[in-house]
Amino acid sequence: MASPLLLLLSLLLPAAAFYLCCVRRHTGSAGAVLRRREPGRAEKRGRSPPRDAWAPRLCGSGLRLFVHVANTAFGQICLLPFLIRLNNFSLMRSLDIHEDPTFIPEVAAEVTEEKSEAKSTSDIIEQLVDTRSDSASNGFSFKGIKDYLDCYRSGKLTPSQVATNIIAVLEDCDKSTPPLRAIVQWDREQIMLMAEASTVRYRNKSTLSYLDGIPVCLKEEFKVVPYHHRVGTVYLGTEPETEDATVARKLREAGAIIIGVSNMHELGTGTTGCNPNRYHKIPRNPYKPNHYTGGSSSGSAAAVAAGLCPVAIGTDGGGSVRIPASFCGVVGLKGTFGRISSHGSLPLSYSTVSVGPICTSVADAAIVYSILAEPDPLYPYGLKQPKATLSDMCAPDLKGLKLGVDWTFFKACDAEVLSICEKAVEHLRSLGASVVEVSLPEMEEVRVAHVICILSEMRDFLQPDFNKHFHEMNLDTRANLALASQFTALDYITANRQRTRSMRFLQEIFSTVNCILTPAVACTAPRIYESDLLTGSSDSSFTVQSMRFMQLGNFTGIPGLVVPIGYSTAGLPVSFQVMAKWWDEAVLLRIGLKLEQFRHQTKKPSIYYDILA
């Protein structure tokens, strides 16, 4: 009987040979015909959304076999080049782009006349804290920063009592069936120390900030004392950390209670959150525990949606804050590239990753953003950023704002998602905003160029790990890094030339509109299969679909905010995305507040802990 490996080779070799033969027949033996790009001018062609990927969903023995073959000579010479062409990842090789490459999407702040703010940031935050959410009167509502502050200020609860409740919940949630697996490292003594210090400050009326006594967690990608900096792996972080990442330090200085570090997709290499290794396991979506949370900041979103804490911090290189926030029905903000310091996180992809909060509400995201967003001398990007403000966030309407929509791109999502998102656009229009049709050019080029940049940078950084810890990595991580090895220096440079073009196109678009609207994710959270629990899974088609509306922000560095706006017929959250020009997070938060009004009712997740009960 033929072995599975021989069977696979017998199927793939003829297919690969036939495909490559067809490619040569159409492009000539020297390779693809170069398509010239005029500097600064979008290609004149029919507008169409980025292509879907083609690859079967792999798990179990099929995934093991694929990873083995992909890392053999046959895989490197035949199989992976075949998949690269099949999924159009060779597109950059057919382009002749004359713009100089942009390797870091850092944009100088616009020089504008300084005008006095009608309200200071602290005044706006005070207004946000004092304003009760409308959803509270319509049944369930998430417990946010305001609810914790009300308890502390009234004396109903102290931070120490809240910490005791959280510890009991942390013990309980991983004994449940299935276990939540949102927080993967926590320490009773550390939690109580921070809570007791906060309790004393409230007693003495000497609180440090609006985050004093607020429970938070940070993605395991950040260094947080005294936890292991494992980044979703079993081989990193062999010793407890002795130094905090900048965001962890700032949260401590603000008086927050760090309840632990949260689960993540191993090394941030996927968008499901599937991480079957022994230290992590797969976190569950609080709305439907047999569905994924999204990733890679999977545990952060699950922790917020399940009520463990109202604030979590994640990183976003390809939607890794916004995708899990969307799938778990909470708010996610990806700041402008460099806006919030990444110092102390593993530098997996230095040109695409931004830091941002995942929160129960837009108001909470604004509070966290106002505390974290500032230059960090230890981080080389964002040193000349403009001051973070929340100007006009509490305006009563959206009059004067122009909202851009590329309807062809917008509609590249599931019908159920599209229906809800189209109604959300009309809601924003009803509040006085103008909806303007815009064209987002060369989005297929953006898709491919972003993949080349993020995978090339990750492969570069992780090359020593790939050689030394190959068999300790999850199977899908090995598959992604094997694919990344196919990209060349020319691919990477051309991708960064495309970045220059795409950033220039956006500058032109933002001269006519204040922001760009899209669905957050093109689909709802996918199901977890039993085999995924043991071996993980690899689903390139889903990865491409989930990142469709995310990549533009990561590739060009513009900020993006996702806000839950409804639910599918299966009860899974559906979210909406707003993107703005560099450094203009304030307009995102202003629109986000109005988007929250669109969802008339918040459904209670299947897994939810009321820490304040």
Side-chain angles (χ1 to χ4, degrees):
M1 188 178 197
S3 71
L5 178 59
L6 289 175
L7 181 62
L8 180 70
L9 298 185
S10 67
L11 291 171
L12 286 174
L13 271 171
F18 174 76
Y19 178 80
L20 293 174
C21 180
C22 290
V23 168
R24 288 195 184 95
R25 187 178 302 160
H26 284 90
T27 63
S29 59
V33 175
L34 291 178
R35 287 184 284 161
R36 186 165 185 161
R37 291 285 192 272
E38 292 298 325
R41 185 181 301 170
E43 182 186 3
K44 299 295 183 182
R45 58 184 171 85
R47 287 164 58 195
S48 59
R51 283 175 46 170
D52 289 324
W54 182 91
R57 186 184 191 280
L58 296 173
C59 57
S61 57
L63 179 57
R64 282 197 184 94
L65 183 58
F66 174 80
V67 168
H68 173 75
V69 174
N71 287 283
T72 63
F74 167 77
Q76 292 289 313
I77 295 170
C78 295
L79 175 58
L80 292 178
F82 170 61
L83 291 175
I84 288 282
R85 288 180 178 271
L86 197 61
N87 289 289
N88 206 29
F89 291 147
S90 58
L91 174 62
M92 293 295 114
R93 298 167 192 174
S94 68
L95 304 181
D96 181 19
I97 302 176
H98 285 209
E99 281 91 345
D100 289 338
T102 297
F103 294 105
I104 300 294
E106 194 173 24
V107 173
E110 293 179 353
V111 178
T112 56
E113 285 186 28
E114 288 201 11
K115 55 180 182 180
S116 59
E117 299 275 331
K119 286 186 177 181
S120 67
T121 297
S122 59
D123 288 341
I124 293 171
I125 292 175
E126 188 67 41
Q127 184 177 346
L128 291 172
V129 170
D130 287 343
T131 304
R132 186 167 295 280
S133 171
D134 293 336
S135 63
S137 61
N138 296 328
F140 172 78
S141 63
F142 288 104
K143 294 296 189 294
I145 291 174
K146 173 182 170 51
D147 300 291
Y148 283 84
L149 293 179
D150 285 348
C151 285
Y152 298 156
R153 290 169 176 175
S154 68
K156 179 183 175 183
L157 287 172
T158 67
S160 295
Q161 290 170 317
V162 164
T164 300
N165 293 347
I166 289 171
I167 290 167
V169 165
L170 290 172
E171 290 173 339
D172 177 74
C173 66
D174 281 336
K175 294 176 184 175
S176 59
T177 305
L180 181 62
R181 296 305 294 161
I183 306 297
V184 290
Q185 297 182 63
W186 59 276
D187 183 279
R188 177 192 304 266
E189 184 178 342
Q190 288 290 319
I191 295 171
M192 289 309 302
L193 278 173
M194 287 180 275
E196 287 163 3
S198 180
T199 298
V200 171
R201 290 193 294 270
Y202 273 97
R203 186 185 305 133
N204 296 335
K205 294 182 169 48
S206 58
T207 52
L208 300 173
S209 76
Y210 289 101
L211 291 185
D212 206 325
I214 304 300
V216 304
C217 69
L218 292 93
K219 185 179 184 180
E220 200 183 48
E221 192 170 331
F222 293 101
K223 294 180 179 180
V224 182
V225 178
Y227 303 109
H228 297 265
H229 189 213
R230 293 190 177 119
V231 200
T233 71
V234 296
Y235 64 86
L236 288 174
T238 54
E239 297 294 329
E241 268 308 317
T242 57
E243 182 181 357
D244 278 331
T246 294
V247 288
R249 175 181 55 80
K250 289 179 74 66
L251 289 169
R252 287 189 203 274
E253 291 171 351
I257 302 171
I258 298 175
I259 67 169
V261 292
S262 51
N263 208 339
M264 63 177 288
H265 203 113
E266 186 182 59
L267 296 168
T269 57
T271 61
T272 59
C274 181
N275 188 348
N277 72 43
R278 67 180 183 272
Y279 286 145
H280 297 87
K281 303 300 180 184
I282 297 176
R284 302 301 180 128
N285 190 317
Y287 273 95
K288 279 194 176 289
N290 61 337
H291 285 249
Y292 281 110
T293 57
S296 62
S297 304
S298 50
S300 296
V304 173
L308 303 185
C309 51
V311 174
I313 307 298
T315 59
D316 191 316
S320 289
V321 160
R322 293 164 291 159
I323 293 170
S326 301
F327 282 170
C328 293
V330 290
V331 172
L333 172 65
K334 180 200 90 72
T336 301
F337 179 83
R339 177 60 107 173
I340 299 174
S341 173
S342 290
H343 174 73
S345 67
L346 202 69
L348 295 166
S349 172
Y350 50 83
S351 79
T352 67
V353 173
S354 297
V355 175
I358 296 174
C359 299
T360 56
S361 68
V362 174
D364 287 2
I367 293 169
V368 178
Y369 164 75
S370 69
I371 289 173
L372 297 183
E374 65 178 0
D376 176 12
L378 299 175
Y379 184 60
Y381 311 120
L383 292 175
K384 297 181 179 180
Q385 63 178 278
K387 183 180 178 181
T389 71
L390 302 176
S391 57
D392 297 325
M393 183 175 170
C394 296
D397 53 42
L398 299 178
K399 289 177 181 177
L401 292 184
K402 294 181 179 179
L403 316 181
V405 180
D406 182 329
W407 285 108
T408 302
F409 185 52
F410 191 99
K411 293 178 180 179
C413 59
D414 290 353
E416 200 169 22
V417 172
L418 176 62
S419 175
I420 298 172
C421 288
E422 284 178 329
K423 292 173 184 173
V425 174
E426 290 308 309
H427 168 73
L428 297 177
R429 195 199 302 267
S430 73
L431 292 170
S434 302
V435 177
V436 180
E437 185 161 4
V438 297
S439 173
L440 295 173
E442 301 177 6
M443 290 305 294
E444 174 64 4
E445 286 83 344
V446 168
R447 177 185 79 87
V448 173
H450 170 262
V451 168
I452 290 171
C453 287
I454 191 169
L455 283 183
S456 297
E457 289 166 13
M458 293 179 86
R459 175 71 194 222
D460 169 63
F461 182 78
L462 294 171
Q463 184 63 36
D465 295 27
F466 192 73
N467 293 333
K468 187 176 179 181
H469 300 285
F470 178 82
H471 292 289
E472 296 173 87
M473 290 178 169
N474 288 342
L475 291 170
D476 72 311
T477 303
R478 298 183 224 172
N480 287 326
L481 293 178
L483 183 71
S485 69
Q486 292 293 307
F487 297 126
T488 66
L490 287 177
D491 291 333
Y492 184 70
I493 291 171
T494 307
N496 282 285
R497 291 182 187 275
Q498 179 64 45
R499 193 188 327 245
T500 305
R501 290 175 64 81
S502 297
M503 292 174 72
R504 187 173 299 161
F505 296 148
L506 282 179
Q507 286 171 333
E508 293 170 2
I509 289 169
F510 286 128
S511 69
T512 61
V513 298
N514 298 98
C515 62
I516 296 167
L517 309 179
T518 71
V521 186
C523 58
T524 53
R527 181 184 161 196
I528 299 172
Y529 293 89
E530 283 298 317
S531 56
D532 300 352
L533 303 176
L534 299 175
T535 62
S537 64
S538 177
D539 189 346
S540 296
S541 296
F542 167 76
T543 301
V544 169
Q545 186 183 29
S546 64
M547 290 170 60
R548 176 169 297 144
F549 301 115
M550 304 284 114
Q551 292 174 288
L552 182 64
N554 295 110
F555 188 53
T556 62
I558 60 173
L561 176 75
V562 296
V563 179
I565 57 169
Y567 305 91
S568 68
T569 52
L572 288 163
V574 172
S575 293
F576 193 88
Q577 178 174 233
V578 190
M579 294 180 284
K581 67 183 178 183
W582 300 267
W583 314 117
D584 198 6
E585 288 86 351
V587 75
L588 299 183
L589 296 165
R590 176 183 174 186
I591 295 168
L593 273 182
K594 303 306 180 189
L595 274 172
E596 285 183 318
Q597 299 172 3
F598 172 73
R599 187 178 64 178
H600 299 297
Q601 185 179 18
T602 302
K603 293 185 178 180
K604 185 177 181 180
S606 300
I607 301 173
Y608 187 76
Y609 297 92
D610 188 348
I611 301 297
L612 301 180

